[in-house]
Amino acid sequence: MQEKHDIGNLFNRIADTYDTLNHLLSFNMDRYWRKKAVKRLQPCNTLLDVATGTADLSIEILRQNKARHIIGTDISHAMMQKGIQKINRRKYADRISLLYADASQLSFEDGSFDAVTCAYGVRNFSDCQKGLKEMYRVLKDGGQLLILEFSYPDNACIRKLYNCYFTRILPYIGRKISKDKTAYSYFCQSVKEFIWGQDMTQTLEHIGFKSAKYHPLTFGITTIYTATK
Ligand SMILES: C[S@@+](CC[C@H](N)C(=O)[O-])C[C@H]1O[C@@H](n2cnc3c(N)ncnc32)[C@H](O)[C@@H]1O
């Protein structure tokens, strides 16, 4: 388990190249995955986007007009700074605000939000259970939870190819472009060690979420999780 400040520092170091590498390493699929995930949201008033990073999910939510007001939280100032630049360029500053906040200690009242989202964030939390419990606490009764996270393909052949790409090619390109020696190896390791599919929906239901479901995308490389409170 990585400490919170280590994770925050890691994302501070790679913030400049984060978006470029996301699009490059996923062959632009990350944009499609966020779009598909946001399509599953019902339009709502207030939404919290935990581990918002450079705000790509929050921006997609507004683009699809799925929330009136969004608060995005993160523990990396540099990632959020990139996000703020994009929000300003798109003139969304009156509808998206970004705040420094640790997912395991959110400063919002119980039941503050109609929806809580988190894209590629939960596996980075130093205490995932605590983060998920906080997401549950700040959600209104009947509110929607949407999580997007990496997972593993079921098909053995595709899993083999994916593993090869993931453990050899991706860390190499990540290292070359970000100029960071460890970030992209950590990234692969964190996906390998994290739960997915039914294990994740069971974890969500154990915390108290209802109707937890998982929806694999692109052979199961990534998975959308939905649930309600
Ligand atoms: C892989 S990025 C995902 C960013 C964005 N949601 C996206 O879709 O591209 C993971 C983000 O989680 C943030 N993060 C990690 N641990 C966190 C925590 N405990 N609380 C809040 N954010 C956290 C990191 O700083 C980073 O910006």
Side-chain angles (χ1 to χ4, degrees):
M1 195 189 286
Q2 294 255 0
E3 291 300 325
K4 180 189 109 182
H5 63 269
D6 293 339
I7 297 286
N9 284 338
L10 182 149
F11 281 99
N12 281 336
R13 295 201 305 270
I14 61 164
D16 278 345
T17 51
Y18 176 82
D19 284 340
T20 309
L21 272 170
N22 254 359
H23 307 325
L24 179 76
L25 293 169
S26 73
F27 306 99
N28 250 336
M29 292 299 281
D30 66 309
R31 290 189 162 111
Y32 163 78
W33 293 330
R34 286 192 195 85
K35 266 189 196 135
K36 289 288 273 188
V38 172
K39 280 206 172 115
R40 291 192 173 269
L41 277 176
Q42 297 300 318
C44 68
N45 197 19
T46 54
L47 184 145
L48 175 69
D49 184 30
V50 177
T52 193
T54 59
D56 272 355
L57 190 75
S58 295
I59 289 168
E60 182 57 31
I61 292 166
L62 277 202
R63 224 186 49 79
Q64 292 188 31
N65 218 4
K66 293 293 179 83
R68 234 184 254 274
H69 296 287
I70 300 177
I71 297 181
T73 57
D74 205 283
I75 52 164
S76 162
H77 286 294
M79 291 285 278
M80 286 194 289
Q81 199 46 47
K82 291 274 160 198
I84 289 166
Q85 287 166 8
K86 288 194 279 184
I87 290 165
N88 289 340
R89 274 204 302 276
R90 286 167 179 80
K91 307 207 184 325
Y92 284 156
D94 54 338
R95 291 176 65 195
I96 308 178
S97 353
L98 302 191
L99 276 182
Y100 182 93
D102 180 358
S104 64
Q105 262 179 308
L106 295 171
S107 56
F108 308 106
E109 307 261 304
D110 296 1
S112 301
F113 296 94
D114 299 316
V116 176
T117 59
C118 185
Y120 306 110
V122 289
R123 73 166 198 287
N124 294 294
F125 295 169
S126 43
D127 189 336
C128 178
Q129 286 278 335
K130 238 179 165 177
L132 292 172
K133 280 183 187 161
E134 276 294 85
M135 286 156 79
Y136 181 81
R137 182 184 67 75
V138 300
L139 196 56
K140 283 184 185 158
D141 287 343
Q144 318 165 66
L145 173 78
L146 179 88
I147 290 174
L148 188 60
E149 195 46 90
F150 283 107
S151 44
Y152 262 79
D154 275 338
N155 180 291
C157 288
I158 295 172
R159 188 187 279 230
K160 223 172 175 180
L161 281 174
Y162 177 62
N163 242 333
C164 173
Y165 175 69
F166 219 62
T167 51
R168 289 158 198 246
I169 303 166
L170 189 148
Y172 176 78
I173 301 174
R175 208 164 42 237
K176 283 278 169 211
I177 295 182
S178 72
K179 311 258 184 277
D180 193 281
K181 286 198 181 102
T182 53
Y184 282 81
S185 314
Y186 154 76
F187 168 73
C188 300
Q189 199 56 34
S190 66
V191 175
K192 273 192 162 175
E193 285 169 1
F194 197 62
I195 52 167
W196 73 89
Q198 213 171 352
D199 288 343
M200 182 66 167
T201 51
Q202 276 170 3
T203 301
L204 293 174
E205 292 201 334
H206 188 70
I207 284 166
F209 287 103
K210 292 185 212 138
S211 314
K213 292 193 177 62
Y214 66 99
H215 316 270
L217 297 172
T218 320
F219 309 112
I221 289 172
T222 207
T223 299
I224 303 169
Y225 300 91
T226 54
T228 55
K229 178 170 173 183

